[in-house]
Amino acid sequence: MKSWDELKAKYPRLIPQRFGFQCEIGWLKILDDYFAVIDREMPESGVYELRQVKEKLGALRIYDSSYGETLSSVKVVTDAHALAEARSFYVCEYCGKRGVWSNRRGYLTTVCEDHAVRDGYRAEPCEDGDYTYRETDGAWRRYDPDLDAFVEVEQPEWP
């Protein structure tokens, strides 16, 4: 898959044809994986509303909701949502290669080395490499990009 139009064609009941994505094409696979879960878990009579998909603070943000019958697994969908957003911290928004969460003169972005320079300014990797934590059921988890999963960790000590 190489375009937003292809993604819309693959999930016509989830993504309106006139929907505009507010992020770059490098996160297409992340979104394809996410919509595959939604499509599988959404009953035929369910109603899904995709409100916004964008880059914010260097990561993917998905704003959506479902109505009608409940999803077959709210936990599966919640986990897919968290996984999509966590993956985006490690995937270049522009090309889909392995990326690094970086700061370009105050603008946070996730880019690979090939896309680190834009408008004459270089995005420098953020110093703190552990930024994808999540607390669920009293346990702390951190996204591990090598395992492509959340792994249980001790509660982080925030500065």
Side-chain angles (χ1 to χ4, degrees):
M1 182 167 319
K2 297 180 187 215
S3 73
W4 297 123
D5 288 338
E6 289 179 54
L7 187 68
K8 292 175 188 179
K10 187 172 181 180
Y11 302 106
R13 73 186 191 125
L14 303 178
I15 309 170
Q17 278 301 309
R18 298 185 70 141
F19 186 81
F21 291 88
Q22 298 169 317
C23 60
E24 298 295 333
I25 203 79
W27 288 340
L28 191 60
K29 177 163 179 5
I30 294 172
L31 288 165
D32 185 19
D33 292 345
Y34 175 71
F35 286 121
V37 172
I38 300 297
D39 197 42
R40 183 183 68 237
E41 300 298 326
M42 178 67 64
E44 285 301 317
S45 60
V47 177
Y48 177 79
E49 181 184 358
L50 182 61
R51 294 189 304 270
Q52 189 175 36
V53 175
K54 68 179 185 175
E55 175 277 327
K56 182 176 182 180
L57 300 175
L60 179 65
R61 299 292 190 262
I62 304 167
Y63 301 99
D64 58 0
S65 56
S66 61
Y67 305 96
E69 292 181 36
T70 57
L71 297 165
S72 55
S73 175
V74 172
K75 181 182 179 344
V76 169
V77 170
T78 301
D79 289 348
H81 191 275
L83 190 59
E85 291 186 354
R87 284 174 174 156
S88 71
F89 281 98
Y90 297 90
V91 173
C92 178
E93 182 183 0
Y94 297 94
C95 68
K97 292 182 196 172
R98 184 73 174 250
V100 177
W101 191 53
S102 302
N103 184 329
R104 183 184 299 111
R105 296 185 55 163
Y107 177 78
L108 296 173
T109 183
T110 301
V111 292
C112 65
E113 185 61 32
D114 293 339
H115 292 102
V117 176
R118 261 181 96 85
D119 301 323
Y121 299 101
R122 179 173 183 71
E124 297 297 334
C126 294
E127 291 181 25
D128 179 7
D130 288 331
Y131 30 74
T132 52
Y133 283 95
R134 142 175 213 233
E135 180 187 14
T136 50
D137 303 326
W140 283 90
R141 293 174 177 81
R142 182 184 58 79
Y143 177 71
D144 183 324
D146 296 323
L147 297 175
D148 190 31
F150 283 95
V151 294
E152 201 161 312
V153 294
E154 295 294 319
Q155 180 175 347
E157 292 183 27
W158 306 111

